[in-house]
Amino acid sequence: MGAWGSGTFENDDACDLVCDLRESTDLSLLEEALRTAAETDEDLDAGDGSKALAAAEVILALLGHPSPAIAEEEDLQAWMKANPQRPTAALLALAERAVQQVTAEDSELRELWDEVDSLDEWMAEVNTLQAGLRAARSAVG
């Protein structure tokens, strides 16, 4: 796992998503990352899980509820300013389902954090994201 911390953007896969997003002007990359995680019928790959968490963070920030994890992401801040878009309720629901899949017992990403004895730290980050997503539901009504 190419990670240097438990934060959403502290891994290679999330950074790859951010780099790809800089070349985009819509939410399709975010939707693709979320759909890959939310609709998998197999064990969720760690890379796909990391991208889904990053995508959910961006959706949350676009809804006006940025988490602390995104505050230090200058590239994302610039992209959101240049591409102000309002995610739909359906996209928010997809983000919630994706994050649930990432935290499922059979998620490879969850298993990796457990193997390095940092599951509690990682789950704290993900729980903050999940709480933000739940709170954002009222923003998209």
Side-chain angles (χ1 to χ4, degrees):
M1 174 171 52
W4 49 92
S6 62
T8 302
F9 298 101
E10 295 177 331
N11 64 78
D12 293 334
D13 295 303
C15 289
D16 289 346
L17 180 73
V18 171
C19 286
D20 291 345
L21 191 59
R22 290 188 313 208
E23 298 175 16
S24 175
T25 59
D26 62 22
L27 304 179
S28 61
L29 286 172
L30 301 175
E31 182 176 356
E32 179 182 334
L34 294 169
R35 193 166 304 288
T36 297
E39 297 178 355
T40 186
D41 290 331
E42 302 174 8
D43 293 351
L44 182 61
D45 174 80
D48 290 337
S50 293
K51 288 179 182 179
L53 293 178
E57 290 278 5
V58 176
I59 296 299
L60 189 58
L62 287 169
L63 289 170
H65 299 272
S67 73
I70 207 165
E72 297 179 24
E73 298 300 316
E74 294 176 10
D75 288 344
L76 280 177
Q77 300 289 337
W79 183 85
M80 289 186 295
K81 186 175 181 178
N83 300 284
Q85 299 172 56
R86 187 116 177 117
T88 63
L91 192 55
L92 175 60
L94 183 63
E96 289 183 280
R97 286 195 317 272
V99 173
Q100 286 174 346
Q101 286 287 88
V102 173
T103 61
E105 292 293 325
D106 58 354
S107 163
E108 183 182 32
L109 188 57
R110 180 189 175 110
E111 291 171 5
L112 289 172
W113 283 110
D114 193 26
E115 287 174 10
V116 296
D117 295 325
S118 296
L119 182 60
D120 291 341
E121 184 179 333
W122 178 75
M123 282 300 299
E125 294 283 333
V126 177
N127 288 338
T128 298
L129 172 59
Q130 286 178 311
L133 291 169
R134 283 191 299 274
R137 278 190 216 143
S138 63
V140 295

